Amino acid sequence: MMKKAACLLLILALSLPLCGCWNNFDLDSLAIVVGVGFDRADDGRMQVTAEVLSPNPDQENQSGGSGGKRGSLVYTVEGATFFEAIRNFIAKTGKRLYWQDVQLVVVGEDYAKEGVTDLLDYFQRDQQANLKSDLIIAKGMTAQEVLKAQPNIDQTAAAQINNSLVGTVTSGETVKAMLFDIVRQNSALKPCIVVGVIEKDKAESDAAESPDSKDSPELMGMVVKGSAILKNFKLAGYLSPEETRGFLFADDKIQSTIISVENPVEKNKLVSIKLTEASGKIKADIVENKPKLTVEIEAKGAVGDQQGGGDLTAPEHIGALTAAVENEIRKEIASAASVSQKESGSDIFCFSEDIYQNDYNKWREMAQNWDDVYAQSDIGIRVNFLIKRPGMITEPMEKEE
């Protein structure tokens, strides 16, 4: 009897790994979402736009554009809540949406001003949500406009925008922020985060309008540059590409960038300096019961190219270039600080966290009125830049006559 019971238990134990998943879905029953956009509809309902991979990439584009073909289809639905709207996709697509491959989350400007907490709540609750997706604000546009735009390089709008975001981050002109980064700010003392922006390119938008449908312009008429400030998860203002780079310097997130300054030998000519190393840190001290805020930057670089003539290796010319680069970095950081203090009222540099960690008692005194205290505080900026080499040549191509 005991032997039979033991054999039965062994058979049951060996059969457990053979059980299938209880909640599996056939691939044919899923619509793979690569990009999703959130807006507020005219009637106040939630509007969700999803870009899904086309099961037949060769079929005609159903979302407008220049009449070309793309590898995705774009659908827009509405609902009282985001969860209800997303469920309504099934009636349009006939398939269940699959969220784990979402590359990009686009938020329309009007909805971003109201706050993005509702969509963050949804993405945290849904077990299929991809919190590594990048979030970007559609400046002066709706998210629907962005995702319906015709890609002219990649097969999907989400992929093309995401690739542009990655490339522009390298130059320091925008910010790459994942949903996870934004959600994590919920535990911050004063939630404030900077995210990327996509907007219409004034130089290209007119030329890129579709001749067939003005509602679906081409993505070549849009540009991923600059950034948006979210204060308490609400859109509070924008930073220009230069101000964004200043913020990234202070936030220690500059990877590599190009700074062009005047040629110290020949006026009205430029010299491009490629930064190869950069580190930034912020410091907040309490002096005479007032915060003393400081941004410190250490950077190194090399000459990338030179317009005009002159020997840039001369000590006085190296000194002039060094000072010019330091001034440019200082100016960009000061401009970003001015926007954060006077326009958005947002401590984007997180000086509050530094005070909290170093002097908790003082922080308790300032916490309630920190926005006002920050807006009235002076921010010192120290920049130390070193030119490591003039490039592979020491003499310019253009010789002095």
Side-chain angles (χ1 to χ4, degrees), residues 212-272:
D212 300 321
S213 173
K214 291 185 178 180
D215 293 331
S216 300
E218 293 187 2
L219 271 179
M220 64 181 288
M222 302 179 187
V223 61
V224 179
K225 275 191 177 182
S227 55
I229 299 172
L230 300 181
K231 178 183 179 183
N232 296 324
F233 304 105
K234 295 181 180 180
L235 178 62
Y238 292 103
L239 296 174
S240 69
E242 295 76 20
E243 292 162 348
T244 299
R245 186 163 64 177
F247 162 74
L248 291 174
F249 268 117
D251 204 35
D252 194 24
K253 290 182 180 177
I254 283 292
Q255 302 174 14
S256 175
T257 189
I258 306 295
I259 295 180
S260 296
V261 296
E262 187 175 70
N263 187 332
V265 181
E266 190 172 341
K267 289 185 177 181
N268 301 321
K269 298 291 185 178
L270 297 175
V271 176
S272 292

Side-chain angles (χ1 to χ4, degrees), residues 21 23 28 48 51 58 90 94 112 125 133 136 170 186 205 207 213 225 234-235 300 333 336 350 358 368 371 374:
C21 298
N23 64 341
D28 290 342
V48 183
E51 182 181 26
D58 293 330
I90 297 178
R125 293 179 188 275
S133 306
I136 196 168
T170 303
N186 195 40
S205 58
S213 173
K225 275 191 177 182
K234 295 181 180 180
L235 178 62
K300 298 178 181 179
I333 296 174
C350 296
N358 297 328
Q368 286 290 86
D371 289 345
Y374 172 69

Side-chain angles (χ1 to χ4, degrees), residues 106-131:
V106 185
V107 181
E109 183 178 71
D110 290 341
Y111 177 67
K113 290 178 180 178
E114 297 178 22
V116 298
T117 51
D118 290 344
L119 74 89
L120 293 177
D121 180 271
Y122 171 77
F123 274 96
Q124 289 182 87
R125 293 179 188 275
D126 194 289
Q127 62 180 356
Q128 288 189 359
N130 180 13
L131 290 179

Side-chain angles (χ1 to χ4, degrees), residues 302-305 313 389-395:
V303 176
D305 70 354
T313 61
R389 57 185 183 274
M392 298 299 292
I393 59 175
T394 58
E395 295 183 359

